[in-house]
Amino acid sequence: MSNQISRSFQNIFLTFAAICSGVCLPALAFSQSNFGIEFKDKDKIVKILTLSDLATEVTAVSLKIFEIHEKKDQIYKAYPVRALFDKTFGKKWLKAEEIVFVSTDGYQASIPVTKFLSHDAYFAFAHDDDSPFTMTNILQNNEVVQLGPLYLIWDNMKSKALLKEGASDMPYQVKSIQLTTFATRFPNLSPPAKASAEVQRGFLYFRKYCMACHMINGEGGGKAPELNYPTSVVEYIKPEYLTRWIENPSSIRHNSLMPGLAQEIPDRTKITKEIIAYLKAMSTTKRSPKHQDMR
Ligand code: HEC
């Protein structure tokens, strides 16, 4: 019942966003210049900085990337992430395991610290030509999305591996950045201790491709429905349809806002199978959500 209410609320909101996107975005963009971005170590706030504060902390660059959400090159004004983290957190960010990026729309990307050490990430805060800081996301049914206050991008011109990953680990509307360990932040998401290797791999893929939007046992992103509690999707969606939800959502629901697992991902069929194995294991591991909303 409460899920139904939140879905109809979501629909009202989406309709509003659709009507609003042409007219209201410049106003939104304006209000965001004074928006405080939170930097947290576990649950403790270390700093709150506005976009103008950030400009005094690190030097901005112009960076050209292949914009996967639009399938074309794009140039952004951006701050190098490692330099910004050094300034805001000091060197202790290197000792964290995971960094969680929370967006204003409920998306929660959780990215291992190691990825920031092996690849160059940037926080984009404007288009290089100062056009409105929005994007038409072709991976999400051409939804027009606001990118500010911060949009996490990667220098994928230099790296084939990053290009192959598609749009994963690229949250926009980032308003909060939190150093943590996966186990402290998401204790309810992990599979049972004796889970098979297939389930464990499925868990890693779920973290990478699904949990930014979806919750399991109340943990993960708040942008899409909970998938496990109290009734798991494996209990009410037939297996062949579950595979289609993951690989080609718009073949199930017209106008679906869910991006399918990208075609380019090597071993896509195997990954889908392993994610479903993880979802099945979680259906026998229901843990009551303690905190529904972590935003
Ligand atoms: C960018 C956000 C996003 C990502 C990433 C995402 N989904 Fe979804 N998903 C949604 C939304 C939104 C819906 C709700 C229906 C719709 O809009 O199509 C949904 C619906 C679903 C449903 C149907 C639920 C129901 O009860 O009807 C399943 C199953 C599902 N997603 C599984 C997954 C899996 C597994 C992954 C990872 C491979 C994933 N999703 C990745 C946004 C996302």
Side-chain angles (χ1 to χ4, degrees):
M1 181 68 189
S2 71
N3 195 21
Q4 227 169 342
I5 293 172
S6 79
R7 279 202 201 185
S8 58
F9 174 74
Q10 199 180 25
N11 282 341
I12 294 167
F13 177 75
L14 289 175
T15 315
F16 170 74
I19 297 167
C20 183
S21 60
V23 189
C24 313
L25 283 174
L28 262 175
F30 176 74
S31 69
Q32 275 176 355
S33 59
N34 294 320
F35 195 97
I37 296 148
E38 259 177 22
F39 293 83
K40 289 162 94 178
D41 185 5
K42 302 259 167 63
D43 287 330
K44 210 177 102 241
I45 294 180
V46 179
K47 265 184 190 159
I48 297 180
L49 300 173
T50 63
L51 281 183
S52 20
D53 294 337
L54 288 186
T56 65
E57 300 276 332
V58 270
T59 314
V61 297
S62 283
L63 182 78
K64 181 157 139 186
I65 64 163
F66 179 70
E67 179 47 84
I68 289 151
H69 299 98
E70 296 177 315
K71 296 240 190 293
K72 65 175 190 201
D73 290 355
Q74 191 68 265
I75 309 175
Y76 291 106
K77 287 183 190 164
Y79 299 116
V81 165
R82 284 194 299 265
L84 180 64
F85 284 174
D86 285 349
K87 280 279 181 144
T88 47
F89 294 118
K91 293 288 175 195
K92 74 177 165 210
W93 76 270
L94 295 163
K95 296 212 182 79
E97 173 190 301
E98 198 88 5
I99 305 181
V100 179
F101 300 83
V102 184
S103 303
T104 50
D105 71 348
Y107 191 89
Q108 283 194 24
S110 181
I111 307 174
V113 166
T114 48
K115 183 160 178 182
F116 292 91
L117 303 179
S118 48
H119 298 286
D120 295 332
Y122 292 79
F123 276 126
F125 59 93
H127 280 301
D128 198 52
D129 61 5
D130 287 323
S131 57
F133 198 35
T134 64
M135 164 168 83
T136 302
N137 187 351
I138 57 177
L139 304 177
Q140 221 162 290
N141 209 31
N142 291 317
E143 196 188 8
V144 176
V145 290
Q146 176 72 42
L147 297 174
L150 293 178
Y151 170 33
L152 184 67
I153 58 173
W154 300 84
D155 187 354
N156 61 14
M157 293 284 183
K158 280 200 304 226
S159 160
K160 277 231 164 66
L162 282 177
L163 266 186
K164 264 210 192 111
E165 291 199 356
S168 63
D169 302 334
M170 296 183 72
Y172 37 73
Q173 301 174 8
V174 173
K175 60 159 190 169
S176 169
I177 298 155
Q178 185 184 11
L179 306 182
T180 187
T181 61
F182 193 86
T184 1
R185 180 66 183 76
F186 305 105
N188 282 357
L189 267 169
S190 48
K194 290 191 298 266
S196 68
E198 187 188 28
V199 168
Q200 294 290 354
R201 284 194 303 272
F203 172 45
L204 292 181
Y205 290 127
F206 185 85
R207 285 168 60 166
K208 191 168 167 116
Y209 296 117
C210 320
M211 70 168 276
C213 292
H214 289 287
M215 293 191 190
I216 296 279
N217 296 329
E219 289 172 358
K223 201 181 168 175
E226 154 80 41
L227 297 178
N228 195 57
Y229 190 90
T231 310
S232 162
V233 286
V234 304
E235 290 161 331
Y236 64 83
I237 301 179
K238 286 190 206 154
E240 71 264 33
Y241 286 89
L242 198 51
T243 302
R244 276 171 58 185
W245 259 118
I246 296 172
E247 294 183 349
N248 188 7
S250 56
S251 80
I252 306 264
R253 189 161 298 152
H254 174 65
N255 277 351
S256 175
L257 285 178
M258 173 168 153
L261 208 55
Q263 299 269 5
E264 300 81 45
I265 297 173
D267 294 334
R268 180 168 170 259
T269 310
K270 185 166 162 274
I271 290 175
T272 302
K273 253 188 72 202
E274 291 175 348
I275 289 174
I276 292 174
Y278 163 71
L279 290 173
K280 279 197 185 128
M282 294 315 285
S283 73
T284 66
T285 318
K286 289 183 184 159
R287 302 180 186 120
S288 171
K290 280 176 215 73
H291 28 233
Q292 274 291 348
D293 194 278
M294 297 293 295
R295 282 178 237 173

PDB file of all heavy atoms in Angstrom, residues 61-63 67 70 72-78 124-136 145 147 151:
ATOM      1  N   VAL A  61      39.157  23.147 -14.487  1.00  0.00           N
ATOM      2  CA  VAL A  61      39.720  22.894 -15.817  1.00  0.00           C
ATOM      3  C   VAL A  61      38.575  22.744 -16.810  1.00  0.00           C
ATOM      4  O   VAL A  61      37.424  22.590 -16.413  1.00  0.00           O
ATOM      5  CB  VAL A  61      40.557  21.592 -15.847  1.00  0.00           C
ATOM      6  CG1 VAL A  61      41.755  21.694 -14.913  1.00  0.00           C
ATOM      7  CG2 VAL A  61      39.694  20.390 -15.465  1.00  0.00           C
ATOM      8  N   SER A  62      38.890  22.807 -18.100  1.00  0.00           N
ATOM      9  CA  SER A  62      37.914  22.426 -19.133  1.00  0.00           C
ATOM     10  C   SER A  62      38.242  21.014 -19.549  1.00  0.00           C
ATOM     11  O   SER A  62      39.383  20.725 -19.911  1.00  0.00           O
ATOM     12  CB  SER A  62      38.035  23.329 -20.356  1.00  0.00           C
ATOM     13  OG  SER A  62      37.441  24.564 -20.076  1.00  0.00           O
ATOM     14  N   LEU A  63      37.259  20.123 -19.502  1.00  0.00           N
ATOM     15  CA  LEU A  63      37.534  18.721 -19.811  1.00  0.00           C
ATOM     16  C   LEU A  63      36.557  18.207 -20.857  1.00  0.00           C
ATOM     17  O   LEU A  63      35.345  18.338 -20.714  1.00  0.00           O
ATOM     18  CB  LEU A  63      37.417  17.868 -18.541  1.00  0.00           C
ATOM     19  CG  LEU A  63      37.739  16.387 -18.759  1.00  0.00           C
ATOM     20  CD1 LEU A  63      39.241  16.171 -18.826  1.00  0.00           C
ATOM     21  CD2 LEU A  63      37.134  15.522 -17.657  1.00  0.00           C
ATOM     22  N   GLU A  67      30.405  11.878 -23.790  1.00  0.00           N
ATOM     23  CA  GLU A  67      29.239  11.895 -22.902  1.00  0.00           C
ATOM     24  C   GLU A  67      28.337  10.713 -23.261  1.00  0.00           C
ATOM     25  O   GLU A  67      27.609  10.748 -24.250  1.00  0.00           O
ATOM     26  CB  GLU A  67      28.499  13.228 -23.042  1.00  0.00           C
ATOM     27  CG  GLU A  67      27.248  13.365 -22.199  1.00  0.00           C
ATOM     28  CD  GLU A  67      27.440  12.944 -20.747  1.00  0.00           C
ATOM     29  OE1 GLU A  67      27.908  13.767 -19.924  1.00  0.00           O
ATOM     30  OE2 GLU A  67      27.122  11.776 -20.455  1.00  0.00           O
ATOM     31  N   GLU A  70      24.585  11.015 -23.743  1.00  0.00           N
ATOM     32  CA  GLU A  70      24.110  11.696 -24.963  1.00  0.00           C
ATOM     33  C   GLU A  70      24.729  11.113 -26.227  1.00  0.00           C
ATOM     34  O   GLU A  70      24.409  11.545 -27.327  1.00  0.00           O
ATOM     35  CB  GLU A  70      24.449  13.196 -24.894  1.00  0.00           C
ATOM     36  CG  GLU A  70      23.744  13.938 -23.787  1.00  0.00           C
ATOM     37  CD  GLU A  70      24.164  15.403 -23.709  1.00  0.00           C
ATOM     38  OE1 GLU A  70      25.385  15.691 -23.795  1.00  0.00           O
ATOM     39  OE2 GLU A  70      23.285  16.267 -23.571  1.00  0.00           O
ATOM     40  N   LYS A  72      27.700  11.570 -27.459  1.00  0.00           N
ATOM     41  CA  LYS A  72      28.502  12.539 -28.222  1.00  0.00           C
ATOM     42  C   LYS A  72      29.553  13.186 -27.316  1.00  0.00           C
ATOM     43  O   LYS A  72      29.461  13.084 -26.093  1.00  0.00           O
ATOM     44  CB  LYS A  72      27.598  13.601 -28.844  1.00  0.00           C
ATOM     45  CG  LYS A  72      26.879  14.479 -27.837  1.00  0.00           C
ATOM     46  CD  LYS A  72      26.096  15.589 -28.547  1.00  0.00           C
ATOM     47  CE  LYS A  72      25.600  16.585 -27.509  1.00  0.00           C
ATOM     48  NZ  LYS A  72      24.493  17.394 -27.917  1.00  0.00           N
ATOM     49  N   ASP A  73      30.547  13.866 -27.924  1.00  0.00           N
ATOM     50  CA  ASP A  73      31.548  14.560 -27.114  1.00  0.00           C
ATOM     51  C   ASP A  73      30.911  15.765 -26.428  1.00  0.00           C
ATOM     52  O   ASP A  73      29.985  16.369 -26.964  1.00  0.00           O
ATOM     53  CB  ASP A  73      32.707  15.046 -27.997  1.00  0.00           C
ATOM     54  CG  ASP A  73      33.543  13.875 -28.518  1.00  0.00           C
ATOM     55  OD1 ASP A  73      33.267  12.730 -28.102  1.00  0.00           O
ATOM     56  OD2 ASP A  73      34.438  14.122 -29.340  1.00  0.00           O
ATOM     57  N   GLN A  74      31.449  16.090 -25.270  1.00  0.00           N
ATOM     58  CA  GLN A  74      30.907  17.216 -24.514  1.00  0.00           C
ATOM     59  C   GLN A  74      32.052  17.819 -23.698  1.00  0.00           C
ATOM     60  O   GLN A  74      32.909  17.084 -23.219  1.00  0.00           O
ATOM     61  CB  GLN A  74      29.793  16.680 -23.606  1.00  0.00           C
ATOM     62  CG  GLN A  74      28.921  17.690 -22.921  1.00  0.00           C
ATOM     63  CD  GLN A  74      28.030  18.483 -23.863  1.00  0.00           C
ATOM     64  OE1 GLN A  74      28.397  19.588 -24.274  1.00  0.00           O
ATOM     65  NE2 GLN A  74      26.880  17.932 -24.232  1.00  0.00           N
ATOM     66  N   ILE A  75      32.067  19.156 -23.580  1.00  0.00           N
ATOM     67  CA  ILE A  75      33.125  19.778 -22.771  1.00  0.00           C
ATOM     68  C   ILE A  75      32.513  20.397 -21.516  1.00  0.00           C
ATOM     69  O   ILE A  75      31.528  21.134 -21.594  1.00  0.00           O
ATOM     70  CB  ILE A  75      33.882  20.873 -23.568  1.00  0.00           C
ATOM     71  CG1 ILE A  75      34.336  20.308 -24.919  1.00  0.00           C
ATOM     72  CG2 ILE A  75      35.076  21.395 -22.774  1.00  0.00           C
ATOM     73  CD1 ILE A  75      34.977  21.354 -25.826  1.00  0.00           C
ATOM     74  N   TYR A  76      33.096  20.051 -20.375  1.00  0.00           N
ATOM     75  CA  TYR A  76      32.588  20.554 -19.093  1.00  0.00           C
ATOM     76  C   TYR A  76      33.642  21.401 -18.383  1.00  0.00           C
ATOM     77  O   TYR A  76      34.835  21.179 -18.541  1.00  0.00           O
ATOM     78  CB  TYR A  76      32.226  19.386 -18.172  1.00  0.00           C
ATOM     79  CG  TYR A  76      31.028  18.593 -18.620  1.00  0.00           C
ATOM     80  CD1 TYR A  76      31.185  17.323 -19.192  1.00  0.00           C
ATOM     81  CD2 TYR A  76      29.739  19.105 -18.484  1.00  0.00           C
ATOM     82  CE1 TYR A  76      30.080  16.595 -19.601  1.00  0.00           C
ATOM     83  CE2 TYR A  76      28.627  18.377 -18.899  1.00  0.00           C
ATOM     84  CZ  TYR A  76      28.802  17.123 -19.450  1.00  0.00           C
ATOM     85  OH  TYR A  76      27.712  16.394 -19.862  1.00  0.00           O
ATOM     86  N   LYS A  77      33.168  22.344 -17.565  1.00  0.00           N
ATOM     87  CA  LYS A  77      34.044  22.992 -16.585  1.00  0.00           C
ATOM     88  C   LYS A  77      33.992  22.111 -15.349  1.00  0.00           C
ATOM     89  O   LYS A  77      32.892  21.750 -14.898  1.00  0.00           O
ATOM     90  CB  LYS A  77      33.520  24.373 -16.225  1.00  0.00           C
ATOM     91  CG  LYS A  77      33.706  25.399 -17.322  1.00  0.00           C
ATOM     92  CD  LYS A  77      33.215  26.755 -16.859  1.00  0.00           C
ATOM     93  CE  LYS A  77      33.181  27.695 -18.044  1.00  0.00           C
ATOM     94  NZ  LYS A  77      32.391  28.892 -17.768  1.00  0.00           N
ATOM     95  N   ALA A  78      35.162  21.767 -14.816  1.00  0.00           N
ATOM     96  CA  ALA A  78      35.157  20.743 -13.776  1.00  0.00           C
ATOM     97  C   ALA A  78      36.334  20.878 -12.812  1.00  0.00           C
ATOM     98  O   ALA A  78      37.357  21.478 -13.143  1.00  0.00           O
ATOM     99  CB  ALA A  78      35.194  19.366 -14.433  1.00  0.00           C
ATOM    100  N   ALA A 124      31.999  17.977 -12.614  1.00  0.00           N
ATOM    101  CA  ALA A 124      31.589  19.038 -13.531  1.00  0.00           C
ATOM    102  C   ALA A 124      30.579  19.924 -12.816  1.00  0.00           C
ATOM    103  O   ALA A 124      29.749  19.445 -12.037  1.00  0.00           O
ATOM    104  CB  ALA A 124      30.971  18.422 -14.777  1.00  0.00           C
ATOM    105  N   PHE A 125      30.677  21.255 -13.047  1.00  0.00           N
ATOM    106  CA  PHE A 125      29.710  22.175 -12.433  1.00  0.00           C
ATOM    107  C   PHE A 125      29.066  23.094 -13.466  1.00  0.00           C
ATOM    108  O   PHE A 125      28.168  23.872 -13.151  1.00  0.00           O
ATOM    109  CB  PHE A 125      30.372  23.009 -11.321  1.00  0.00           C
ATOM    110  CG  PHE A 125      31.539  23.836 -11.793  1.00  0.00           C
ATOM    111  CD1 PHE A 125      31.354  25.146 -12.200  1.00  0.00           C
ATOM    112  CD2 PHE A 125      32.811  23.293 -11.845  1.00  0.00           C
ATOM    113  CE1 PHE A 125      32.430  25.920 -12.644  1.00  0.00           C
ATOM    114  CE2 PHE A 125      33.893  24.050 -12.283  1.00  0.00           C
ATOM    115  CZ  PHE A 125      33.708  25.358 -12.686  1.00  0.00           C
ATOM    116  N   ALA A 126      29.524  23.024 -14.740  1.00  0.00           N
ATOM    117  CA  ALA A 126      28.919  23.845 -15.797  1.00  0.00           C
ATOM    118  C   ALA A 126      29.339  23.282 -17.146  1.00  0.00           C
ATOM    119  O   ALA A 126      30.332  22.558 -17.248  1.00  0.00           O
ATOM    120  CB  ALA A 126      29.403  25.294 -15.681  1.00  0.00           C
ATOM    121  N   HIS A 127      28.552  23.619 -18.186  1.00  0.00           N
ATOM    122  CA  HIS A 127      29.011  23.344 -19.542  1.00  0.00           C
ATOM    123  C   HIS A 127      30.085  24.364 -19.880  1.00  0.00           C
ATOM    124  O   HIS A 127      30.048  25.495 -19.404  1.00  0.00           O
ATOM    125  CB  HIS A 127      27.847  23.487 -20.531  1.00  0.00           C
ATOM    126  CG  HIS A 127      26.950  22.294 -20.563  1.00  0.00           C
ATOM    127  ND1 HIS A 127      27.397  21.038 -20.877  1.00  0.00           N
ATOM    128  CD2 HIS A 127      25.626  22.170 -20.323  1.00  0.00           C
ATOM    129  CE1 HIS A 127      26.396  20.181 -20.829  1.00  0.00           C
ATOM    130  NE2 HIS A 127      25.298  20.838 -20.484  1.00  0.00           N
ATOM    131  N   ASP A 128      31.031  23.979 -20.732  1.00  0.00           N
ATOM    132  CA  ASP A 128      32.115  24.894 -21.065  1.00  0.00           C
ATOM    133  C   ASP A 128      31.587  26.171 -21.731  1.00  0.00           C
ATOM    134  O   ASP A 128      32.140  27.244 -21.571  1.00  0.00           O
ATOM    135  CB  ASP A 128      33.121  24.190 -21.976  1.00  0.00           C
ATOM    136  CG  ASP A 128      34.454  24.917 -22.001  1.00  0.00           C
ATOM    137  OD1 ASP A 128      34.985  25.182 -20.896  1.00  0.00           O
ATOM    138  OD2 ASP A 128      34.943  25.239 -23.100  1.00  0.00           O
ATOM    139  N   ASP A 129      30.481  26.040 -22.477  1.00  0.00           N
ATOM    140  CA  ASP A 129      29.926  27.223 -23.170  1.00  0.00           C
ATOM    141  C   ASP A 129      28.871  27.942 -22.327  1.00  0.00           C
ATOM    142  O   ASP A 129      28.148  28.799 -22.825  1.00  0.00           O
ATOM    143  CB  ASP A 129      29.337  26.807 -24.519  1.00  0.00           C
ATOM    144  CG  ASP A 129      28.190  25.804 -24.354  1.00  0.00           C
ATOM    145  OD1 ASP A 129      27.795  25.522 -23.193  1.00  0.00           O
ATOM    146  OD2 ASP A 129      27.692  25.300 -25.381  1.00  0.00           O
ATOM    147  N   ASP A 130      28.767  27.564 -21.057  1.00  0.00           N
ATOM    148  CA  ASP A 130      27.814  28.186 -20.125  1.00  0.00           C
ATOM    149  C   ASP A 130      26.347  28.041 -20.522  1.00  0.00           C
ATOM    150  O   ASP A 130      25.503  28.793 -20.043  1.00  0.00           O
ATOM    151  CB  ASP A 130      28.158  29.661 -19.879  1.00  0.00           C
ATOM    152  CG  ASP A 130      29.389  29.793 -18.993  1.00  0.00           C
ATOM    153  OD1 ASP A 130      29.531  28.968 -18.067  1.00  0.00           O
ATOM    154  OD2 ASP A 130      30.203  30.710 -19.235  1.00  0.00           O
ATOM    155  N   SER A 131      26.027  27.085 -21.393  1.00  0.00           N
ATOM    156  CA  SER A 131      24.615  26.802 -21.668  1.00  0.00           C
ATOM    157  C   SER A 131      24.023  26.153 -20.405  1.00  0.00           C
ATOM    158  O   SER A 131      24.768  25.695 -19.550  1.00  0.00           O
ATOM    159  CB  SER A 131      24.495  25.889 -22.888  1.00  0.00           C
ATOM    160  OG  SER A 131      25.232  24.700 -22.687  1.00  0.00           O
ATOM    161  N   PRO A 132      22.663  26.120 -20.276  1.00  0.00           N
ATOM    162  CA  PRO A 132      22.066  25.580 -19.050  1.00  0.00           C
ATOM    163  C   PRO A 132      22.645  24.211 -18.698  1.00  0.00           C
ATOM    164  O   PRO A 132      22.874  23.394 -19.588  1.00  0.00           O
ATOM    165  CB  PRO A 132      20.582  25.460 -19.390  1.00  0.00           C
ATOM    166  CG  PRO A 132      20.359  26.475 -20.457  1.00  0.00           C
ATOM    167  CD  PRO A 132      21.640  26.546 -21.246  1.00  0.00           C
ATOM    168  N   PHE A 133      22.882  24.006 -17.398  1.00  0.00           N
ATOM    169  CA  PHE A 133      23.578  22.789 -16.958  1.00  0.00           C
ATOM    170  C   PHE A 133      22.580  21.632 -16.861  1.00  0.00           C
ATOM    171  O   PHE A 133      22.257  21.137 -15.783  1.00  0.00           O
ATOM    172  CB  PHE A 133      24.273  23.068 -15.629  1.00  0.00           C
ATOM    173  CG  PHE A 133      25.351  22.071 -15.283  1.00  0.00           C
ATOM    174  CD1 PHE A 133      26.154  21.504 -16.263  1.00  0.00           C
ATOM    175  CD2 PHE A 133      25.577  21.711 -13.957  1.00  0.00           C
ATOM    176  CE1 PHE A 133      27.141  20.588 -15.941  1.00  0.00           C
ATOM    177  CE2 PHE A 133      26.568  20.800 -13.616  1.00  0.00           C
ATOM    178  CZ  PHE A 133      27.346  20.235 -14.621  1.00  0.00           C
ATOM    179  N   THR A 134      22.083  21.213 -18.035  1.00  0.00           N
ATOM    180  CA  THR A 134      21.115  20.123 -18.120  1.00  0.00           C
ATOM    181  C   THR A 134      21.562  19.169 -19.222  1.00  0.00           C
ATOM    182  O   THR A 134      22.488  19.472 -19.981  1.00  0.00           O
ATOM    183  CB  THR A 134      19.707  20.626 -18.483  1.00  0.00           C
ATOM    184  OG1 THR A 134      19.766  21.190 -19.794  1.00  0.00           O
ATOM    185  CG2 THR A 134      19.216  21.668 -17.502  1.00  0.00           C
ATOM    186  N   MET A 135      20.871  18.032 -19.317  1.00  0.00           N
ATOM    187  CA  MET A 135      21.222  17.044 -20.337  1.00  0.00           C
ATOM    188  C   MET A 135      19.969  16.247 -20.689  1.00  0.00           C
ATOM    189  O   MET A 135      19.118  16.016 -19.842  1.00  0.00           O
ATOM    190  CB  MET A 135      22.289  16.139 -19.728  1.00  0.00           C
ATOM    191  CG  MET A 135      22.552  14.838 -20.411  1.00  0.00           C
ATOM    192  SD  MET A 135      24.063  14.130 -19.723  1.00  0.00           S
ATOM    193  CE  MET A 135      23.434  13.344 -18.240  1.00  0.00           C
ATOM    194  N   THR A 136      19.868  15.863 -21.972  1.00  0.00           N
ATOM    195  CA  THR A 136      18.791  14.973 -22.365  1.00  0.00           C
ATOM    196  C   THR A 136      19.341  13.558 -22.307  1.00  0.00           C
ATOM    197  O   THR A 136      20.171  13.184 -23.119  1.00  0.00           O
ATOM    198  CB  THR A 136      18.314  15.305 -23.795  1.00  0.00           C
ATOM    199  OG1 THR A 136      17.904  16.675 -23.799  1.00  0.00           O
ATOM    200  CG2 THR A 136      17.141  14.441 -24.204  1.00  0.00           C
ATOM    201  N   VAL A 145      17.424  16.167 -17.665  1.00  0.00           N
ATOM    202  CA  VAL A 145      17.825  16.172 -16.264  1.00  0.00           C
ATOM    203  C   VAL A 145      18.716  17.362 -15.936  1.00  0.00           C
ATOM    204  O   VAL A 145      19.530  17.811 -16.739  1.00  0.00           O
ATOM    205  CB  VAL A 145      18.545  14.857 -15.860  1.00  0.00           C
ATOM    206  CG1 VAL A 145      17.574  13.689 -15.844  1.00  0.00           C
ATOM    207  CG2 VAL A 145      19.717  14.562 -16.779  1.00  0.00           C
ATOM    208  N   LEU A 147      21.857  18.774 -14.009  1.00  0.00           N
ATOM    209  CA  LEU A 147      23.121  18.123 -13.650  1.00  0.00           C
ATOM    210  C   LEU A 147      23.718  18.641 -12.342  1.00  0.00           C
ATOM    211  O   LEU A 147      24.449  17.944 -11.661  1.00  0.00           O
ATOM    212  CB  LEU A 147      24.136  18.294 -14.776  1.00  0.00           C
ATOM    213  CG  LEU A 147      23.746  17.634 -16.101  1.00  0.00           C
ATOM    214  CD1 LEU A 147      24.753  17.980 -17.188  1.00  0.00           C
ATOM    215  CD2 LEU A 147      23.637  16.129 -15.941  1.00  0.00           C
ATOM    216  N   TYR A 151      28.293  17.074 -10.967  1.00  0.00           N
ATOM    217  CA  TYR A 151      28.098  15.909 -11.832  1.00  0.00           C
ATOM    218  C   TYR A 151      29.442  15.187 -11.923  1.00  0.00           C
ATOM    219  O   TYR A 151      30.437  15.774 -12.343  1.00  0.00           O
ATOM    220  CB  TYR A 151      27.616  16.413 -13.197  1.00  0.00           C
ATOM    221  CG  TYR A 151      27.564  15.392 -14.320  1.00  0.00           C
ATOM    222  CD1 TYR A 151      27.274  14.058 -14.078  1.00  0.00           C
ATOM    223  CD2 TYR A 151      27.769  15.788 -15.638  1.00  0.00           C
ATOM    224  CE1 TYR A 151      27.212  13.139 -15.116  1.00  0.00           C
ATOM    225  CE2 TYR A 151      27.695  14.891 -16.694  1.00  0.00           C
ATOM    226  CZ  TYR A 151      27.426  13.565 -16.422  1.00  0.00           C
ATOM    227  OH  TYR A 151      27.367  12.660 -17.448  1.00  0.00           O
TER     228      TYR A 151
END
